[in-house]
């Protein structure tokens, strides 16, 4: 069955204190990391339907629920 | 006017809101289960605080699709008063009934404390019993209260006096030190274009009686009642 791999990330310019905290923690561990932005990753197991149809559906799911267009961007791939 | 208080799975401030309207304001009020979609009898609807749907995915993201929300949108379009408190505000943002979004508090801490907010606009059905510039002592309790909007939206909200409350210090000064959570422009509450939908992060239902330490929150409920008695164009 096809699997949509969706990544939701904060838009540029949106403050990410969680990312900052992770960066600070990595720095405390001795790693030189300039910036960290945290996002969400979702895997959707989808029915066996033609890809272009699935792409349309996944895009709608992202627009309606999975991402908040005010603060987030999304991208996805569908495999296989 | 009959007040309705929506109850979603995970709402936890519904009873406080109900109690304030019933026992302090002494007005008719009913709890409205989120599966209901008939809001005809109500003049005002409160979306209370809590963790509706566990705040899963994003605060208010799933609540926004709760069965009652279609009715809430129609109710707002018909001019009914909608007061979104805390999680209620977050849901109104996800619904698009108010512009912008909420981010995690800048400190990443859940902040539960009394703050001071300044009334920026008393020409709304929610603040007509307040004086412009007056300060209210009122508690906040949230993890995601950093109001965010893109520059164009922020400009529009500020220009059209849609900012109703801002976090300030005891003397009413709005500044960085008085900002508890990183909200843009210290915004604590905004109203929609028409003026009938208000979202605020602080909890007026937790400070509506002197016994609770502050009765400043009661002004918001009294304002809604005053508006119902003598509606004026916002």
């Amino acid at each position: 069955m096809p699997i949509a791999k969706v990544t939701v990330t904060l838009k540029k310019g949106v403050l990410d204190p969680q990312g900052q905290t992770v960066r600070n923690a990595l720095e405390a561990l001795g790693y030189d990391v300039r910036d960290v932005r945290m996002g969400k990753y979702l895997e959707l197991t989808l029915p066996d339907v033609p890809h272009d149809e699935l792409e349309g559906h996944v895009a709608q799911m992202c627009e309606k629920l999975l991402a908040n267009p005010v603060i987030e961007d999304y991208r996805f791939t569908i495999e296989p | 006017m009959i007040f309705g208080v929506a109850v979603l799975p995970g709402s936890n401030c519904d009873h406080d809101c109900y109690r304030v309207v019933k026992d302090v304001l002494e007005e008719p009020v009913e709890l409205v289960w989120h599966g209901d979609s008939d809001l005809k009898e109500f003049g005002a609807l409160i979306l209370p605080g809590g963790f509706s749907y566990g705040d899963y995915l994003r605060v208010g993201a799933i609540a926004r699709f709760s069965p009652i929300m279609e009715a809430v949108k129609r109710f707002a379009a018909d001019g009914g008063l909608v007061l979104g408190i805390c999680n209620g505000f977050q849901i109104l943002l996800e619904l698009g009934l108010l512009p912008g979004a909420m981010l995690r508090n800048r400190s990443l801490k859940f902040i539960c404390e009394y703050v001071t907010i300044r009334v920026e606009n008393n020409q709304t059905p929610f603040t007509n019993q307040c004086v412009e510039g007056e300060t209210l002592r009122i508690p906040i309790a949230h993890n995601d209260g950093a109001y965010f909007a893109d520059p164009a939206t922020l400009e529009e909200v500020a220009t059209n006096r849609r900012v109703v409350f801002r976090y300030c210090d005891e003397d009413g000064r709005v500044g960085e030190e008085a900002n508890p959570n990183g909200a843009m422009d210290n915004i604590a509450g905004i109203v929609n274009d028409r003026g009938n939908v208000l979202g605020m992060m602080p909890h007026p239902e937790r400070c509506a009686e002197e016994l609770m330490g502050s009765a400043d929150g009661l002004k918001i409920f009294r304002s809604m009642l005053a508006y119902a008695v003598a509606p004026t164009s916002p």
Side-chain angles (χ1 to χ4, degrees), chain A residues 42-59:
Chain A
L42 301 100
E43 280 185 1
L44 315 176
T45 305
L46 299 165
D48 240 317
V49 158
H51 255 223
D52 23 335
E53 218 180 301
L54 283 180
E55 282 197 13
H57 292 166
V58 175

Side-chain angles (χ1 to χ4, degrees), chain B residues 36-126:
Chain B
D36 292 343
S37 55
D38 187 355
L39 301 175
K40 279 198 280 295
E41 59 176 313
F42 301 114
L45 185 70
I46 300 173
L47 298 182
F51 300 90
S52 61
Y53 296 88
D55 282 350
Y56 295 140
L57 186 65
R58 286 185 312 277
V59 284
I62 297 175
R64 169 236 182 288
F65 290 108
S66 179
I68 198 179
M69 293 306 164
E70 285 306 307
V72 172
K73 289 200 287 201
R74 278 195 305 272
F75 182 82
D78 289 343
L81 295 183
V82 180
L83 173 64
I85 301 170
C86 202
N87 193 211
F89 185 7
Q90 292 159 345
I91 295 170
L92 289 172
L93 290 167
E94 286 282 336
L95 267 174
L97 286 181
L98 289 173
M102 278 301 168
L103 297 174
R104 173 60 50 87
N105 291 344
R106 187 176 43 192
S107 63
L108 296 178
K109 296 194 173 93
F110 186 101
I111 302 169
C112 189
E113 64 182 21
Y114 259 88
V115 296
T116 313
I117 57 177
R118 189 172 75 187
V119 177
E120 304 283 9
N121 180 355
N122 71 339
Q123 310 282 301
T124 79
F126 308 90

Side-chain angles (χ1 to χ4, degrees), chain B residues 89 102 105 113-120 138-142 144-147 163-170 172-189 200-202:
Chain B
F89 185 7
M102 278 301 168
N105 291 344
E113 64 182 21
Y114 259 88
V115 296
T116 313
I117 57 177
R118 189 172 75 187
V119 177
E120 304 283 9
I138 186 166
I140 56 173
H142 59 246
D144 303 84
Y147 179 76
V163 178
V164 178
F165 302 114
R166 275 199 171 88
Y167 299 110
C168 64
D169 66 17
E170 286 169 5
R173 276 184 306 246
V174 173
E176 255 315 288
E177 311 79 49
N179 188 328
N181 52 30
M184 285 186 157
D185 274 9
N186 283 39
I187 289 172
M200 59 189 295
M201 285 313 289

Side-chain angles (χ1 to χ4, degrees), chain B residues 16-37:
Chain B
D16 282 350
C17 290
Y18 179 88
R19 191 197 121 64
V20 166
V21 178
K22 181 161 181 293
D23 297 338
V24 183
L25 204 64
E26 293 180 309
E27 289 294 317
V29 59
E30 280 174 37
L31 294 173
V32 189
W33 178 235
H34 77 108
D36 292 343
S37 55

